[in-house]
Amino acid sequence: MNAGYAQHLEWVEKRRAQLEEKLATLFSVPAVLTLEIGCGHGHWLADFAVSFPEKQCLGVDLIGDRIERAQKKVERAGATNARFVRGEAFEVLDLMPSHVRLNEVFILFPDPWPKKRHWKNRLFSVKFLSELAKRCASGVRCHFRTDHGPYFDWAEQVIAEQDVWEPEGNFEWPFERETVFQNRADSYQSLVVVKR
Ligand SMILES: C[S@@+](CC[C@H](N)C(=O)[O-])C[C@H]1O[C@@H](n2cnc3c(N)ncnc32)[C@H](O)[C@@H]1O
């Protein structure tokens, strides 16, 4: 192993350890969460948390600056039931304490990765649904919304390729608030899958 790669592995391990510690601190007792992945600046989840004070919410995003702004937003709104963590979706699902479960999940306008060679980066995938399922009881819903037609078609195909989650036919979107990307979109499509 060359020195550069060893250093990279060390950095990844350190980052994972910090994330694990942060999640353990935030959720020191059993919790059932509403999770938003790719929450950006937190507009949607902050409003959601204010509207549903009985629900514990967690917003996750890769970008630290967005997470800081999201946290401030929710504090300004006076909501104490939403937390935001900088992290990658798969790592957060992997590193959350085992007593943390999910009771609903939102993925709103995820990065569409339009170029074919980048499709492998799309969050919504068979692998993702499989990891997500480990944290969810039967009946939990995952809500997906995108303004990118090919990503929507991809998501439908992903659902068809696995049997842990099933599409919900006539669903009602549980909470409407424009996200930053929704505000910019000419149109969008939504789908909901339910854990079997
Ligand atoms: C196109 S933006 C949408 C933000 C927000 N949901 C909205 O609708 O305005 C996608 C967000 O997902 C975050 N993101 C992308 N991949 C992610 C991943 N694997 N884990 C966590 N966040 C991710 C990005 O940093 C970015 O903030």
Side-chain angles (χ1 to χ4, degrees), residues 36-40 60-63 66 87-89 108-111 123 179-182:
E36 186 190 359
I37 297 176
C39 62
V60 172
D61 202 283
L62 284 173
I63 299 179
R66 294 184 180 170
E88 195 281 324
L108 307 175
F109 301 88
D111 294 329
L123 176 69
T179 70
V180 172
F181 278 74
Q182 182 166 325

Side-chain angles (χ1 to χ4, degrees), residues 106-158:
F106 293 88
I107 304 165
L108 307 175
F109 301 88
D111 294 329
W113 296 103
K115 290 186 182 146
K116 188 171 184 180
R117 68 176 186 278
H118 293 150
W119 288 355
K120 62 180 184 304
N121 297 325
R122 286 177 173 169
L123 176 69
F124 200 89
S125 60
V126 171
K127 187 169 171 228
F128 170 72
L129 287 178
S130 163
E131 290 306 307
L132 191 62
K134 294 177 187 168
R135 295 283 178 173
C136 301
S138 173
V140 168
R141 287 179 170 77
C142 175
H143 308 75
F144 173 93
R145 178 171 279 181
T146 182
D147 59 339
H148 190 259
Y151 197 3
F152 186 80
D153 297 342
W154 160 284
E156 286 195 313
Q157 198 173 326
V158 162

Side-chain angles (χ1 to χ4, degrees), residues 1-7 9:
M1 192 190 302
N2 71 40
Y5 187 57
Q7 207 172 11
L9 288 184

